[in-house]
Amino acid sequence: MEKQKQTSHRWALALFTIGVFMAGLDNGIISTALTTINDSFNVSPSWGAWSITLYTLGIAISVPIIGKLSDRYGRRRLFIVEIALFGVGSLLVALSPTFAFLLTARFIQAIGGGGIFIIGSSYILSTLPKEKQGKALGMLGGMHGLAAVIGPNMGAVILSLTGSWHWMFLINIPIALFLIIFGFKKIEESNPGTAKPLDIKGTLLLALGILGFMYGITQLNSTAFLTSLMQPNVLPFLAGAIIIFIILIVHERRVEQLGGDPILAYSLMRQRKFQTTLLLGLLSGGFLAGIIFIPAFVQQALHVPVEHAGYWLTPLAIASGIGAGLGGMLTDKHGATRTVILSGIMGIIGFALFPLIVEGFFTFLIASILSGIGLGILLGAPLNVLVGESAKEGEQGSALGTLSLIRQIGLTLFPTIYAGFMTGAFTKVEPAIKESTGETIEAVNGNYGDLIESISQFEDPLVQTNMLEAATEIIRSGFSQMFITAMILSILVMLTGIYLYKKQK
């Protein structure tokens, strides 16, 4: 009986892991083909970006709600529903006759993909013994981190092999069918939760609040961050979302006092440990965003051709997976808070090395491995275990969904800040080139490809070299600002971990 139970757990973990990896790859994959997709539908880059923005909004809305539904109705059932939605959404994206149709399909994809990680994590917290949870959560988190790093490179490979962006989504179909079939056969259904009525009003308030807040964040201008906060497409949405969240908290408190089943447990939100874990979730989003910009650093600061960049980034992806597994083992052995502290230390060292020593492959390898391990540790087990320690039985999915939402907010907000550093650096490129060489280039508008093309217009190789050196120095300064910011976030991760460790003693 015990052996049969272990086999069932292994199958469940394998299926959850594949599902997390499939869903995590998608946004990275599409970023590679964004220009191709925009051209095929004849839409502008600003409109085309909505294929990513809507996916982000869909994930943000779905994760806390799916987490709650998995607590109520069973994790196998919700896992299969999520995979089916993701598969249908992928098929609809590939077959999209218009751009509006594609956007709708991307939203369906996001609703399906957003909850897979939450369902898998809550399954682990509710079924595995505490001493084995770390390793299992580390494996799931490792897939999450690996997908974020591997996605853009895999997208480039698929596009070069097939010549069509449609295959980026069609490859999801057989994987989804496999997961659905074996999910029915191999995953045991968890016991349904409370029979109390679903908190419909709270669910709608939560969805509206998330939609308003995330939309406002996605409309921020990276070149004028503070000024853009006051714009009519930002401030009203952020302010409205905050008001809705206040109404939601009051409503959830009342539902809980009356013995109902709130979509977000008010008693959980009041816990200092859970609040601190959510702060770590926000910081981890900024941590991950810093890693996502490393491919651009490889191409623009180190001048590695696009076709070779994947080789440079492979160690980072592997280090992220190793970090997730290591984080799981350390969480089981030494506890979640010590593991969080270690991830912060690794991030501090790794991100500090990029502006200080990285000039070639060997120094890049050291910095990327350290930061990748730090990311893997943080995205894997420790935060999920901290949430599991805070949540009551039957609340794990909802609590994990809230953590994932906060991380998604960080992953949406910090790239805007980082992009501001890059854009600000590009505004200084033209004056720097003129001062260094006496030559004037065409406006590049923050686009590295346009910069290289403008420099290539000059016939003298020496002039080209001097221009590229001047431009690279300025571009590196933008990346340095980003890496320093990511290092500060890592310091905050470490200090927050120390705070939690001291509170436990």
Side-chain angles (χ1 to χ4, degrees):
M1 185 69 180
E2 184 63 28
K3 189 175 181 180
Q4 186 179 358
K5 193 174 182 181
Q6 289 179 358
T7 302
S8 176
H9 286 329
R10 289 195 194 99
W11 264 105
L13 289 175
L15 294 172
F16 288 137
T17 300
I18 295 169
V20 166
F21 189 70
M22 177 183 70
L25 278 175
D26 205 72
N27 230 16
I29 281 180
I30 195 176
S31 64
T32 308
L34 201 55
T35 302
T36 306
I37 293 172
N38 294 345
D39 290 345
S40 69
F41 289 107
N42 196 27
V43 297
S44 66
S46 58
W47 261 108
W50 273 97
S51 61
I52 292 178
T53 301
L54 263 182
Y55 192 82
T56 302
L57 292 175
I59 287 177
I61 291 170
S62 67
V63 286
I65 296 172
I66 295 298
K68 183 65 178 180
L69 293 178
S70 71
D71 287 337
R72 286 180 61 94
Y73 300 116
R75 295 183 179 93
R76 182 181 73 171
R77 186 178 293 114
L78 262 295
F79 175 73
I80 290 169
V81 168
E82 286 284 276
I83 294 295
L85 281 172
F86 187 81
V88 169
S90 298
L91 179 63
L92 292 176
V93 170
L95 300 178
S96 296
T98 65
F99 189 67
F101 191 96
L102 180 139
L103 292 181
T104 304
R106 284 286 288 165
F107 191 77
I108 294 171
Q109 253 195 319
I111 297 297
I116 297 172
F117 181 75
I118 309 305
I119 295 169
S121 299
S122 60
Y123 173 90
I124 290 167
L125 290 174
S126 62
T127 59
L128 295 186
K130 188 172 177 59
E131 65 273 12
K132 293 184 178 180
Q133 290 175 2
K135 290 180 183 178
L137 289 169
M139 184 170 63
L140 277 190
M143 292 301 104
H144 215 53
L146 277 172
V149 178
I150 291 174
N153 297 294
M154 184 173 286
V157 170
I158 295 171
L159 196 59
S160 64
L161 289 177
T162 65
S164 170
W165 61 265
H166 302 81
W167 282 103
M168 294 182 175
F169 302 96
L170 288 174
I171 61 169
N172 292 330
I173 310 304
I175 302 173
L177 288 172
F178 169 83
L179 291 173
I180 290 171
I181 293 168
F182 281 86
F184 268 118
K185 290 183 175 182
K186 300 295 184 179
I187 300 177
E188 291 184 10
E189 185 60 278
S190 58
N191 295 325
T194 177
K196 298 172 184 176
L198 181 64
D199 180 17
I200 300 295
K201 183 178 178 181
T203 303
L204 292 175
L205 286 170
L206 178 63
L208 285 173
I210 294 170
L211 183 62
F213 194 78
M214 292 296 289
Y215 177 81
I217 290 177
T218 57
Q219 299 309 298
L220 288 169
N221 186 339
S222 62
T223 58
F225 186 82
L226 295 177
T227 304
S228 67
L229 278 172
M230 307 307 295
Q231 296 303 308
N233 63 337
V234 176
L235 183 61
F237 289 94
L238 295 180
I242 291 170
I243 293 170
I244 290 172
F245 284 138
I246 293 172
I247 296 171
L248 173 65
I249 291 170
V250 173
H251 169 73
E252 299 297 70
R253 182 181 182 182
R254 178 173 173 77
V255 170
E256 196 165 305
Q257 287 175 340
L258 294 174
D261 184 32
I263 189 74
L264 292 178
Y266 178 75
S267 57
L268 177 64
M269 298 296 293
R270 287 187 62 192
Q271 288 186 35
R272 183 63 58 86
K273 185 176 183 179
F274 185 67
Q275 293 169 356
T276 309
T277 305
L278 293 184
L279 172 62
L280 284 170
L282 182 70
L283 296 173
S284 73
F287 200 134
L288 177 55
I291 295 288
I292 290 172
F293 274 81
I294 290 177
F297 173 78
V298 169
Q299 294 172 27
Q300 298 178 20
L302 302 180
H303 305 301
V304 177
V306 175
E307 60 270 20
H308 296 150
Y311 301 117
W312 282 58
L313 295 170
T314 299
L316 175 62
I318 294 172
S320 168
I322 292 172
L326 178 64
M329 290 188 290
L330 291 174
T331 299
D332 286 339
K333 192 171 182 180
H334 299 291
T337 53
R338 288 184 179 182
T339 307
V340 167
I341 295 169
L342 177 62
S343 73
I345 293 171
M346 298 292 282
I348 293 167
I349 299 171
F351 285 124
L353 290 179
F354 277 104
L356 289 176
I357 69 167
V358 173
E359 296 291 342
F361 179 74
F362 181 70
T363 49
F364 172 81
L365 186 67
I366 296 171
S368 63
I369 286 176
L370 289 172
S371 54
I373 289 174
L375 171 70
I377 291 173
L378 192 61
L379 289 186
L383 300 193
N384 292 334
V385 168
L386 287 172
V387 165
E389 291 172 353
S390 303
K392 299 176 185 175
E393 183 64 33
E395 287 182 355
Q396 291 100 333
S398 178
L400 287 166
T402 306
L403 172 65
S404 187
L405 167 63
I406 298 298
R407 178 181 286 140
Q408 191 65 42
I409 290 173
L411 190 51
T412 306
L413 176 62
F414 283 103
T416 304
I417 298 172
Y418 296 160
F421 296 143
M422 310 304 157
T423 307
F426 265 96
T427 61
K428 302 173 186 175
V429 165
E430 294 165 48
I433 287 178
K434 188 171 184 180
E435 183 181 341
S436 174
T437 64
E439 302 285 354
T440 302
I441 62 170
E442 297 178 12
V444 296
N445 300 317
N447 188 294
Y448 184 72
D450 290 346
L451 171 65
I452 297 302
E453 186 175 344
S454 296
I455 291 175
S456 68
Q457 301 299 316
F458 294 84
E459 295 182 359
D460 189 339
L462 182 60
V463 171
Q464 289 185 6
T465 300
N466 291 336
M467 283 183 169
L468 190 58
E469 287 178 355
T472 300
E473 185 178 347
I474 297 298
I475 291 170
R476 282 189 71 111
S477 70
F479 280 106
S480 294
Q481 288 177 289
M482 185 205 77
F483 287 127
I484 290 169
T485 304
M487 183 185 72
I488 292 170
L489 294 181
S490 300
I491 292 172
L492 293 175
V493 167
M494 181 188 71
L495 293 176
T496 306
I498 292 172
Y499 166 78
L500 283 172
Y501 178 70
K502 288 186 174 181
K503 291 291 286 184
Q504 286 180 343
K505 294 182 76 175

